Structures are given as structure tokens and as C-alpha cells.
Amino acid sequence: MTDVHAPQSQPESAAAEDEAARSFSLDQTGTAEGGSGRTTPPPAANAGWLRWGWRQLTSMRTALVLLFLLALGSIPGSVLPQQGSDAGAVQQYYASHPSLAPLLNHLGLFNVFAAPWFAAIYLLLFASLVGCVVPRTFRLVGAARTPPPRAPRNLARLPHSSTYNSALAPDAAVAGAAAILGGQRFRLRRSASDAKDHWVSAEKGYLREVGNLLFHLSLLGVLLSIAAGGLFGYKADKLLVEGQSFSDTVSALDEFHPGRLVSGDDLAPFSVTLNSFTANYIDSGESRGQPSNFDAGVWYTSSPGAKPGTYHIRINDPLSVDSLKVYLIGHGYAPEFKVTGADGKVAYEEATPFIPANTGNFESDGVVKAPDASLGFMGVFEPTVFSANGTLTSIFPAADAPAVSLIGYYGNLGMNNGVPQSVYQLDTSGMTKLSGSPHLLTPGQTWKLPNGKGSITFVGVKQWVSLAITYDPGQVPALVCGILALAGLLLSFFVRRRRVFVRAVPAASGTGSVVTVGGLTRSDASGGFEEEFAELAAEIASAEPGNKSENSGA
Amino acid sequence: MPVNLGYAHASNDFLIAALLIYSLAVIAFAGDYAFGRPKRAAAQAKTAAVSAKALVTVGAADGAGTSDSTGTSDTSDGAGTSGSAAAAGDVPAEALRPQQPVGAFKAMWEAGPWVRWAVALSALGALAHLVAVITRGLAVDRAPWGNMYEFITALTCVAAIFFGYIVIRYRAWALGVFVMGAVVLALGLAETIIYTPAGPLVPALQSYWLSIHVTAMTLATGIFFVAAVLGIMYLVAERYRKRIAAGKTKPGNGLIDRIPSAAQLDKLTYRTVVFGFPVWTFGVIAGAIWADQAWGRYWGWDPVETWAFITWVIYAAYLHARATAGWRGARAHYIQLLGFASLITNMLVVQVFITGMHSYAGVN
Amino acid sequence: MFKAKRRTVVTVTAVAAALLGGALAATLLTSGKTNASDTPGNTVEYQAGQRPLVPNLTGKSLTGASMNLSSYRGKVVVLNFWGSWCSPCRDEAALFAGASQQYASKGVTFLGDDVGDTPANALAFTSSQGITYPSFNDPGYAVVTQISQVVPVHDTPTTVVIDKTGHVVGTIIGAAKYSELTALLRDAGVTQ
């Protein structure tokens, strides 16, 4: 810094320069209430309570505390199983922590992000945000309309200043400086042309506050977009075996989660047929067994009778139908079985989805229910079977050597009492296990059941996919608000609000003047004002006609 | 697509080379710390005394105080070199005309042989590091941040290059031993414990969004990495400063006296976080867009998503704290370090141990 | 002074709006409704004059023959949506088997729509339960989608009673009870 201290300041100008400095202090909050952090004692009168409470809510300290609470409150939502994403894991947690789990449930810890206390945190945070942002918007508009303050008398007291001699008279020197500053799009305020002292004040960088406000308001926009999506959107899941099709109607869907204002009648009547599903796996090298590609070839129609289209749904490539999207979420094996009853008639023939127990080698579990022959089977399917010491396992996820091990049951499956059952679970309480269980079958083989109960044939292997259908009208607005937030953030960080003052007094020698340039920045997050000021000062000094400074180069 | 083994091996070799070169650079930075700085400080004190005398005598213009404007690393903030005030008004023009600052490379050269070697070795190491990252990408025919090992390798490369930028912009070579030391540690960890051989990506990661989302997260992590190191240094410096002020310790000539002042570290840390925060924000947004593409929803409170959110909130708290009286000093830095701890937890604990849709680390 | 007051009003309004929006968000983020869990035996009746007209449902039967609803115009139709995998359907199967015989001479036709099933499984079901009337083979819920345009069929089982002119008299959601079925048949003009 090339600071040179100027002569002692006059007492009566201290006020003016204080005004310039303090109204532009480095305290970034700019509000007396907000930045103090001092606890003001609550007042006695009732209306005063409200105001005190309001000040506390919109203070920075409260924002800090609420931000911490938000972060802290999110932690259990990531560590404990959550109802919304994995209800099965929640059940497992109950099973393994029987005394702790109900307490955690009472505190809402299995559905943290929908819990009232979590909502309270972010609602208070947004209330604090709005209560802070709106007054600041008013203040910004006001500040944008008022001209910059008068130049302080003693510019050398500012954080950045420099002085040089000029050959021009004071008013000409100041005019030249003003021209340069104006050319850099500073807002200017000049001393009156007939006044005794000559100065110019320049200010720039309102976009910083604009960016700040834009950022905070956009966050609010994101919240509202999420709310809109929750109101008007829906999510659904459907499991499809190769060859199957489904239409988008509530009873067809395995799961349907409508938003509050959505009913089953609002579903678009499209239909999807799964023609084939291909999963490729790496078969050699260090990544053997890792999937390399998934491809679900489908036909679809957007409404009954419309012309069918074809598409290949892949993991990062959903199908768009109208304003819906259909995603490939998971896949598995559906071994096909044919069951005949004691009378020899076919009681069951279907490709039965089995659920993978291990997504590395795709060993899968499933259940075959043939109630009309009073038969039920629990099965373990191995895509590439390998027997190690009598234990069956699968050594590769592709169906290269498929086999299924079945345990058979005979009796009442409990399906006639009207209580819905899971298709993946067999209730064996009213059944007896068949001797000869477990029985291993490879494709084409038949197990003739003991005591003439019938037979089960392992016909072949198909695959299934699980599709997710989503409709979210708040998606695009959320994205737009997110991008606006980012833009606001960048503006607020990299634009700096700064003031530059130039003062010229006649030189003691009689000709020319002594020009002092001073600079002040309010918030300099990215740094760089020092260089900017140095360059500005150098440019002002060297721009005088016929006065080429030897320091004007870099 | 098969892995190009030639490039894969080249990547490993270049990474080991980078590690070795970085280690030498850290030694050079340490050498500057121990030997170079005291010399510079002594030289500067001499120049300051000379120029102060010169100012008092009118007419002697010898470019007071501008020759070694080494910025934040050596000069303490605020203390002008101008000694007693000169006479009013009539000041020699040439001496006082506003000067352009001295160029960074010139300042680096003038800082002494230790600094020259340290910076040169760091640059060379960073180059080797960059080549390692690029060849890894060529080996697997995709952006080379598809698993934990690749991610750490890439982010330390970002940290090293970003630190290079800081060195040039803010003349901060005094921080080299700490930042580059941390890089060496992290890289060593990656090479030994977390190493994963080059291989193709699982289908869920086969998307151009990998280049966007994970790149942004890698960049942001690298930047926050540097900020965390600076934050730790700040806390050490601040504690030492307090102890001196309380009279508990006398300022001496030990290692701790060579750390740049707490105020400078505070400013530098702030500016680093300011740089990293928008990148992290962008990374989260890009991740949400990709999640919508792959999983059908742009935000599902998946554990990794949740921790990325937590990290974001904590860094936001740091930025708010810096604008709140009573929270500006060490407290704010604790918050910033908490944010980085949350980031590391996300990377090393949540991604690896908590099952969710983000379990792509490749680490078992 | 006035300006400050206006500012306060605007600020307070904005905060209230934010709170309201946020409260809305909080409740909406918990969109928790899954499949409409109506209690079984829930009857929905349509008054005369407000009965929706069913479109012509077309498809193939379980044995492969083509089926369409309009061919039964002039008779009262009881259309039962069922599946062999569905426990409540098994529960009500005996009722439908018996009722279809009982009302056959009274101008009532019973039809089924077998959803999410294979023909083999479905035929095993109908033969073991004694159901002789034909059913649409509807593994992909296409017929369900057709009728859902006019009347919601969101559950399995659901029973829809259609009068002689092809308008819906009422629906029974879940396993049907005999009294509910006869009540709807009465509405359709069928004498006991």
C-alpha cells in the first residue's frame, strides 16, 4: 500500500467523513437489529413483546441456530431407516430393537423429513428469511435511489487512499477523475460547480445485494415448488415380467402414492408392454459380475387405441409419456412354473417374480401358490448355480446355469378367508411340508410330488423389471429457482459494493492541485478491491493530458 | 468397453511419481519455513527502516515500501511503512504516484531459493498428478471419478492446482508445507487403502451427468479441503496470538511464529470458502437433476443426499457467522471445520457404510 | 412514518404467506395415501339420471374367444373384477357362483374380468369354484382402464352392476356381500 498520511483533519469535517465511513461499515448485516447479537432484554408492554420476538426471529443469531438445528435434525434421517424410502428396513429395525424402536417412532425419527418438528425448523428458518429479506429489499430500493454521500474531508483516513500532484486546476482534475469513474459505470455525485472545494463521490456494486436477495428468495421458491409437486404430483411402482403389459390405472399399480390433491381418476391412461429385458454383466477380469448394461425394450401407447411407440428404457434414460416419466428402477428373475394337482389338471402356470436376496450374484427368493390344488412352494433361485459342500449358491448374476430349490407344502393356504396376502409370502400355518423337500430343479425338470399330490415343473426363466412412474409439476419450477439461487449466490459473492472518492485542493505552489483518491469497500468476499483501487487510482492519475505515468503498466 | 491396461498402468506410475515429487516439495516448503522466512523478514525490516528515513528527508525518492509487496504472506496487515508523517502537501510526485503491484512470479523469485524449488516441485508434481488423472480417464474411457479412489485422486489434484492459484494470487507460499502436506497424506491414503483397479462403471453411473455432478463435487471438495487446512492453521495462530497477548508466552522464533497472522488466515479462509460454496451448490443441483433422470425423483433424502445437504447448511452457517458479531473469529472457523468434517463423513462413512442409492464407492 | 407502516404490513404479509406456504409444504410432503383402502363391502350407488354410461368393453375371454360388453345390451350385467391371486376374490367366489345360477333366468348376466393373471391360473380358479360364466382375460388391466374412464375401479375385487341400457347402477368395492349384490340388482330393476 502506498499510503501517505495527509495533514491533520479539520474537526468539523470529522462528522462528514464519519458519515461516509459508518454508513458503509464493514458490518455486512447493515441492520441495527440484525447484526448486534446482543441480547436485548424483553420489554414490558405487550406489543413490545411481539416486536422483541420479531427481532429475535429475524436476527442473524437465530438464523445460525436454526441452520444448526436443520443440519442436526437431518442426521437421524440419514442414519435410521426411513419409512418413506425403505419401509422394510424400518420393520427390521423394529425386530432388532424392540424396546428402542417405539420410542424413536414416537419422536418421529422414522420419518424425519415429514415430522412436525423438522417442519417447524425449516418453517421458522423461512419466516426468519422472509422477515429479513423484505426489509432489506426496501432498503436496497431506497439506497439505489439516493445519491452517494459527500466525499469525506480527509480521504487519507480511508482504508485505501493515494495522493498525487496534478498540473490541472482542482475542478478540472476532479472533472477528469469523474469522467473516468463514470466511464466505469460508477454512480456519481459531484460537488456544486461554484463551491470552494471540489470532489466527486462514486459508488458501484448494487448487484451484490440484488444477488443476495435473489438467492434467499429463490430458496423460498424451491420450497414452494416442492410443495406444489407434493400437492399435484404422484408416484407409482409397477413390477412387470417380460411379455406382460399394464395400463396406468390404480388397481394395476403395485404402489400408488398420490399427492394430496390427486385421485386415482387423474391418472393418464397410457399403457406399457415389456417386450424384453436384457442385463449384461462383465464376465472376466477384476470386475467380473458387475453389471455393464440394462435395457428394457418396451412398447407403449399414450392412450387406448393410440399408435404404439417403442422405446428402450435404461437406468439414466426414462420414457416420457405425455408429462409423465417411466423409469427403470430394478430387475430380477421370474422362473416359470407349471403345477398340476392331484387330478392331473393344471392348477398354476405363470412366470413367478422372485425377489433378489443378493444383488451381487442374484440369488432370489420366491413363492408359488396354487390354492386350487392346495399346494404351495417356497423357492430359492440361483441364476448360475454352484454347490459347495452341499450348500447351494450362485456364482454369477446372469442366468447361465439356472436352478431352483423348492420346499413343497400341502394344505390350506389361507387364501379363502378374504384377508389379503402378500404374493411373496406363503402362510404355512395350515400346511404340512412335503417329504422330499428341498428339491432341486433345472429348466425342463419336473418334481413328482409324494403321495400323488401332483407335480411341479420348472419350465424356464424370464426376467422382470420394476418401473417407477412419476408425475411432478413442481420439478421444473424447483430447477428454475435452484438456478436463480445459484446466480444470486455468485452475484453476492463476486460483486463488491464500493465507493471511491476524489478530492482536489489547490497546490501550495499556486499552479495545479493535489488530488487525493480514496476507496472503501463494504464487503469484499472475493478480495481484489485492493488491486481494483490501485488500478483505478493509477488510471485517474495517468489520464491527465500529456501526463504519462511511468507506473501505468503492469 | 475393455480397460486400456497401458493407460491404467501409466496412471498408477504417474500418481506415484506425483506423490514423490509432492513429498520433495513439502520438504522444500518446510525448508523455506525454517530458513527462508527469517531471512526475508530481516531483509524487509532493513528496507522499512531505510525508506522511513528517506521519507523524512524531503526529496529523496527511492520507491518507499513498494519493492517487496509480498502481500499476505510476509507483511502483517495494516502497519504502514511510512513512519512519521511527511510535510503536508508538497510530496515528491514520483515517489507517491500510485504504483502497480509487483508481479507474482517476480515476487516468488525474489523470495529465495527454497520457495523457488518448492513452487517448482509443486507445479511439477501437480502436472504429474494431472497426467495420472487424465490417463486414468483414458484407461476407462470415461470421466475418472467413478469410485472413491478416483474421487480422492481427482480432488487432491484440484486442491493442489487451487492451492497453486492461491499461491500466485495471494503470495501464500508460507502455507505450502501444510496444504501440500495434507495433499500428500490424502493421496497416500488413496494409494494404499482405498485403491481400486481401473474398471468400467455400473450402468447407474453411465451418464454424462457423471462429468457434471461428480466433477463439481470433486472441485468443491478440493477447495474446501484447502479451506479446512487454512482453518486449522488459523486456530493455531489465533490461540498463539491470544497467549502472547495474555502474557503467557513470549513471541519467539519457533515454528509457530512463522505462521502468517491470524487475520490474514481468516481472510484467506473466507475467500476460499466463498469460492467453494457456489461450486458445492451447483454440484447438489446437478446431482438432483441426475437423480431425477436416474431414479425418478430429484430429492429423496438418500443418506448421501442428506449429508450433502447437511454440509451445505453448515457452510451456510459459517458464512452467516462471519457476518454476526460475536461469531466472527475462532467460532466461525469451528463451524467451517465442522462443515468439512461433515463432508468427509459423507465421503468416507455414509457412502461406504450406510446403504442407499449412492453406494458406488467400490470399496468393500 | 406512513412508509414505515406500509413496510411493516408488507413484511408481515410476506411472512404470513411464507408460513402458510411452508405449512402447506409440510403437510404435502407427507403425501401418504397408498391404494384407496376402502373398507370391504363398500357400496357406491348412482341415482337414476346420474348413472354413467359404460363404454363398450372389448377383449378376449380366458378361452380365447372374443368378448364385448355391448353384446349383452338388454340384460342386466354384473361385472366382477377378480384375480386368482386375490384372497378376497376367493372369499366372494362362492357367492358369485351361486348368484349367477340363481339369476340366470331373471335376465341377469354375470361376467368376470380376470386381472393380473395367466389363463391357466384363472381357469384353475373358476373350475374349482364352480364359476361357469365367461371372464375377460385382462392381465394388463386394459379393460379396467377402459371402464375407469367413467367409473372408478381402483381395487381388486370390485363389482359393477350395469342396467339393461348399459348404465352403471352401482359398484361394490372389496369382497361383496349377498345383500349388497341383491340391493344393486333391485336398483337395476331385477325382481327377486
Side-chain angles (χ1 to χ4, degrees):
Chain A
M1 266 184 258
T2 57
D3 279 309
V4 175
H5 287 299
Q8 309 297 333
S9 57
Q10 316 295 332
E12 58 266 24
S13 67
E17 111 197 22
D18 272 357
E19 181 251 315
R22 208 161 282 162
S23 72
F24 206 54
S25 71
L26 288 165
D27 182 338
Q28 297 184 12
T29 62
T31 71
E33 323 148 338
S36 65
R38 292 189 296 274
T39 34
T40 51
N46 280 344
W49 269 102
L50 279 177
R51 209 175 319 137
W52 174 84
W54 178 250
R55 281 222 202 116
Q56 294 306 306
L57 179 64
T58 54
S59 77
M60 279 289 220
R61 245 178 11 146
T62 311
L64 260 180
V65 170
L66 287 172
L67 282 173
F68 278 132
L69 285 178
L70 193 66
L72 202 61
S74 305
I75 294 182
S78 69
V79 175
L80 292 172
Q82 295 294 296
Q83 192 72 25
S85 34
D86 198 349
V90 178
Q91 297 298 326
Q92 279 177 358
Y93 198 85
Y94 263 89
S96 45
H97 303 84
S99 42
L100 185 60
L103 172 66
L104 296 179
N105 189 34
H106 202 62
L107 294 171
L109 291 180
F110 289 122
N111 204 355
V112 165
F113 303 106
W117 56 266
F118 192 77
I121 297 176
Y122 66 74
L123 284 182
L124 280 175
L125 199 50
F126 274 100
S128 173
L129 184 156
V130 172
C132 217
V133 159
V134 172
R136 282 178 81 131
T137 313
F138 283 119
R139 244 178 278 133
L140 175 68
V141 170
R145 279 198 250 153
T146 52
R150 304 166 55 90
R153 199 148 281 278
N154 188 357
L155 289 182
R157 296 263 275 256
L158 294 177
H160 300 83
S161 67
S162 74
T163 308
Y164 65 95
N165 278 357
S166 164
L168 301 172
D171 51 351
V174 165
I180 291 184
L181 291 170
Q184 302 237 357
R185 291 189 321 245
F186 279 79
R187 286 180 66 226
L188 300 177
R189 177 178 176 182
R190 305 277 303 272
S191 57
S193 44
D194 58 339
K196 282 260 297 285
D197 49 28
H198 305 275
W199 50 264
V200 63
S201 289
E203 188 169 28
K204 199 174 162 188
Y206 291 94
L207 274 184
R208 188 207 162 264
E209 184 68 358
V210 170
N212 188 21
L213 299 172
L214 179 65
F215 169 73
H216 285 92
L217 286 175
S218 302
L219 288 183
L220 190 61
V222 169
L223 183 68
L224 294 175
S225 306
I226 296 177
L231 256 184
F232 299 106
Y234 67 86
K235 294 194 214 304
D237 290 329
K238 176 68 181 172
L239 190 149
L240 271 189
V241 178
E242 282 174 300
Q244 276 186 351
S245 66
F246 85 103
S247 302
D248 187 32
T249 184
V250 177
S251 43
L253 299 168
D254 296 326
E255 292 209 20
F256 179 55
H257 302 281
R260 290 280 154 144
L261 295 184
V262 175
S263 76
D265 305 325
D266 300 324
L267 296 182
F270 76 92
S271 72
V272 170
T273 307
L274 178 66
N275 284 334
S276 66
F277 174 70
T278 321
N280 299 111
Y281 301 90
I282 301 170
D283 54 13
S284 64
E286 299 193 25
S287 313
R288 186 172 186 275
Q290 183 184 296
S292 62
N293 187 36
F294 295 130
D295 189 314
V298 300
W299 286 337
Y300 67 96
T301 58
S302 56
S303 57
K307 186 166 169 294
T310 57
Y311 198 77
H312 288 267
I313 306 182
R314 312 158 84 139
I315 295 233
N316 279 299
D317 199 359
L319 163 68
S320 289
V321 182
D322 296 332
S323 45
L324 296 164
K325 288 211 207 146
V326 181
Y327 298 82
L328 176 63
I329 298 294
H331 68 103
Y333 286 101
E336 193 172 348
F337 296 100
K338 184 158 93 176
V339 178
T340 58
D343 55 5
K345 291 210 295 202
V346 174
Y348 180 95
E349 185 170 14
E350 194 174 351
T352 317
F354 273 41
I355 306 297
N358 178 328
T359 47
N361 59 20
F362 265 89
E363 178 180 278
S364 311
D365 300 312
V367 148
V368 175
K369 298 193 206 181
D372 298 305
S374 302
L375 290 169
F377 299 87
M378 293 211 242
V380 177
F381 172 76
E382 315 281 2
T384 306
V385 71
F386 181 76
S387 178
N389 301 336
T391 316
L392 286 178
T393 182
S394 170
I395 53 171
F396 195 68
D400 291 340
V404 64
S405 165
L406 294 170
I407 303 177
Y409 294 85
Y410 178 82
N412 184 353
L413 284 85
M415 285 177 72
N416 291 338
N417 58 13
V419 176
Q421 276 187 3
S422 160
V423 294
Y424 301 110
Q425 281 173 351
L426 181 66
D427 179 8
T428 54
S429 52
M431 308 184 82
T432 46
K433 197 195 288 202
L434 295 173
S435 59
S437 300
H439 190 108
L440 187 68
L441 291 175
T442 56
Q445 287 186 339
T446 304
W447 176 19
K448 273 211 156 40
L449 302 171
N451 303 332
K453 295 278 185 290
S455 70
I456 178 165
T457 310
F458 178 18
V459 177
V461 180
K462 286 207 178 122
Q463 297 191 79
W464 57 261
V465 298
S466 66
L467 301 173
I469 301 126
T470 64
Y471 171 61
D472 189 349
Q475 192 177 319
V476 173
L479 178 63
V480 168
C481 287
I483 293 176
L484 284 177
L486 190 59
L489 196 63
L490 290 170
L491 275 178
S492 80
F493 280 158
F494 297 111
V495 173
R496 59 189 90 89
R497 179 115 168 255
R498 58 252 196 238
R499 288 177 177 161
V500 178
F501 309 101
V502 183
R503 226 173 225 289
V505 295
S509 57
T511 50
S513 46
V514 176
V515 184
T516 315
V517 186
L520 186 62
T521 176
R522 176 174 182 152
S523 54
D524 197 358
S526 56
F529 183 63
E530 216 174 297
E531 287 91 355
E532 185 188 357
F533 179 79
E535 282 173 23
L536 260 180
E539 201 182 331
I540 290 176
S542 61
E544 296 184 358
N547 210 352
K548 288 285 178 283
S549 163
E550 58 270 22
N551 297 322
S552 57
Chain B
M1 44 225 83
V3 170
N4 184 324
L5 286 173
Y7 278 125
H9 289 141
S11 169
N12 289 342
D13 294 339
F14 271 103
L15 197 67
I16 299 195
L19 247 176
L20 290 172
I21 300 175
Y22 279 149
S23 306
L24 291 175
V26 171
I27 294 175
F29 276 120
D32 174 66
Y33 218 71
F35 308 115
R37 284 202 72 198
K39 238 164 90 178
R40 274 203 301 282
Q44 193 185 333
K46 225 165 80 174
T47 336
V50 168
S51 58
K53 258 167 57 178
L55 257 184
V56 171
T57 46
V58 174
D62 59 350
T66 57
S67 57
D68 61 334
S69 54
T70 45
T72 55
S73 54
D74 288 319
T75 57
S76 52
D77 241 359
T81 52
S82 50
S84 52
D90 241 7
V91 183
E94 289 73 15
L96 305 165
R97 196 167 285 278
Q99 311 269 350
Q100 296 285 17
V102 177
F105 290 102
K106 188 149 179 272
M108 233 190 290
W109 189 263
E110 287 172 357
W114 287 106
V115 173
R116 290 181 219 151
W117 272 106
V119 171
L121 283 169
S122 296
L124 189 64
L127 191 64
H129 198 167
L130 191 62
V131 171
V133 171
I134 293 177
T135 45
R136 175 88 176 194
L138 288 172
V140 291
D141 200 20
R142 56 168 172 80
W145 26 86
N147 55 50
M148 182 77 70
Y149 165 76
E150 293 177 355
F151 184 62
I152 293 185
T153 316
L155 81 90
T156 42
C157 188
V158 169
I161 295 176
F162 185 74
F163 178 65
Y165 164 73
I166 287 189
V167 163
I168 295 175
R169 182 99 164 61
Y170 298 108
R171 323 288 170 89
W173 39 77
L175 309 171
V177 65
F178 302 100
V179 178
M180 294 314 289
V183 166
V184 167
L185 276 173
L187 214 48
L189 181 77
E191 259 305 298
T192 49
I193 301 179
I194 303 185
Y195 178 74
T196 318
L201 286 173
V202 292
L205 294 178
Q206 288 170 13
S207 164
Y208 58 85
W209 282 104
L210 183 77
S211 318
I212 302 174
H213 164 64
V214 183
T215 307
M217 291 323 232
T218 310
L219 282 172
T221 306
I223 296 171
F224 282 143
F225 180 96
V226 175
V229 174
L230 296 177
I232 293 177
M233 291 177 62
Y234 168 84
L235 289 172
V236 170
E238 177 66 9
R239 186 163 172 274
Y240 184 61
R241 186 189 67 78
K242 280 211 182 104
R243 283 167 67 88
I244 291 185
K248 288 199 194 144
T249 324
K250 278 214 174 42
N253 208 21
L255 200 64
I256 222 173
D257 295 89
R258 321 270 182 95
I259 297 183
S261 83
Q264 290 163 357
L265 282 170
D266 181 56
K267 225 197 300 186
L268 198 53
T269 314
Y270 177 62
R271 291 188 182 163
T272 309
V273 173
V274 155
F275 215 92
F277 190 72
V279 182
W280 186 267
T281 308
F282 172 74
V284 170
I285 295 177
I289 301 176
W290 189 11
D292 178 73
Q293 189 83 336
W295 303 329
R297 85 291 181 279
Y298 57 86
W299 194 266
W301 297 109
D302 171 71
V304 173
E305 288 175 344
T306 306
W307 278 87
F309 171 73
I310 292 173
T311 307
W312 187 87
V313 166
I314 297 179
Y315 276 110
Y318 165 74
L319 294 169
H320 280 79
R322 271 202 110 246
T324 307
W327 282 84
R328 282 209 189 101
R331 272 187 182 181
H333 282 273
Y334 284 127
I335 300 176
Q336 183 249 127
L337 288 171
L338 195 65
F340 192 67
S342 156
L343 199 162
I344 294 295
T345 309
N346 197 5
M347 207 168 77
L348 295 177
V349 176
V350 175
Q351 259 197 357
V352 176
F353 293 111
I354 301 186
T355 39
M357 306 191 79
H358 254 104
S359 308
Y360 300 127
V363 184
N364 289 343
Chain C
M1 224 8 241
F2 175 71
K3 235 183 152 181
K5 218 177 174 186
R6 188 169 48 140
R7 274 196 210 181
T8 322
V9 170
V10 173
T11 313
V12 171
T13 318
V15 172
L19 271 174
L20 196 63
L24 219 54
T27 45
L28 300 179
L29 287 172
T30 70
S31 61
K33 286 204 314 247
T34 50
N35 293 342
S37 52
D38 307 278
T39 42
N42 213 358
T43 311
V44 176
E45 290 177 50
Y46 295 89
Q47 301 305 321
Q50 289 172 2
R51 295 176 178 167
L53 177 68
V54 182
N56 182 25
L57 308 173
T58 55
K60 289 247 187 307
S61 78
L62 289 172
T63 50
S66 68
M67 265 174 84
N68 65 78
L69 184 65
S70 57
S71 57
Y72 299 95
R73 192 62 68 86
K75 292 185 158 213
V76 171
V77 173
V78 176
L79 179 55
N80 175 246
F81 295 86
W82 63 278
S84 70
W85 44 268
C86 150
S87 287
C89 309
R90 294 187 163 262
D91 192 25
E92 65 174 9
L95 159 68
F96 279 88
S100 65
Q101 307 289 335
Q102 180 188 350
Y103 284 93
S105 52
K106 300 203 165 67
V108 180
T109 306
F110 279 66
L111 296 175
D113 183 53
D114 171 48
V115 292
D117 236 340
T118 56
N121 297 12
L123 289 169
F125 176 91
T126 53
S127 69
S128 74
Q129 303 291 335
I131 290 176
T132 51
Y133 53 80
S135 285
F136 285 98
N137 177 23
D138 191 14
Y141 296 79
V143 175
V144 174
T145 309
Q146 286 177 49
I147 199 173
S148 289
Q149 307 293 316
V150 299
V151 103
V153 176
H154 292 165
D155 264 325
T156 313
T158 301
T159 306
V160 180
V161 177
I162 304 167
D163 69 13
K164 296 188 174 121
T165 61
H167 291 82
V168 176
V169 167
T171 59
I172 305 170
I173 299 163
K177 296 216 234 335
Y178 186 70
S179 53
E180 292 163 343
L181 184 59
T182 49
L184 286 181
L185 286 173
R186 245 196 321 275
D187 288 346
V190 177
T191 51
Q192 196 66 21

